[in-house]
Amino acid sequence: MLSSLKAFLFKRLLINLLISSIEIVGLILSIFYSFIVSILLKSTILVLGKNLAARISAFIILLSIKESLVDLLRSSK
């Protein structure tokens, strides 16, 4: 009886650790994607120069990519 209780608690601990590690990986990926999108946005704005319409459209596209990646990470939890 006691050994089955220990086994159950151990399995539960392993499952909780697995879920926590998946959440941590998701958080790291979210930070990484945000960093990449900000770099892309800055470089795109520098390349496009004074073309305001192109800068705005690039900003909207990159922002939507970032939001879709964040939504994807949130849905995987």
Side-chain angles (χ1 to χ4, degrees), residues 32-66:
F32 176 71
Y33 289 142
S34 297
F35 182 70
I36 295 297
V37 168
S38 66
I39 289 174
L40 287 173
L41 182 61
K42 288 177 184 177
S43 63
T44 303
I45 288 174
L46 290 175
V47 168
L48 294 175
K50 294 188 178 190
N51 189 349
L52 184 61
R55 289 170 73 176
I56 291 172
S57 63
F59 177 76
I60 291 170
I61 290 169
L62 290 174
L63 192 61
S64 67
I65 291 171
K66 178 185 175 270

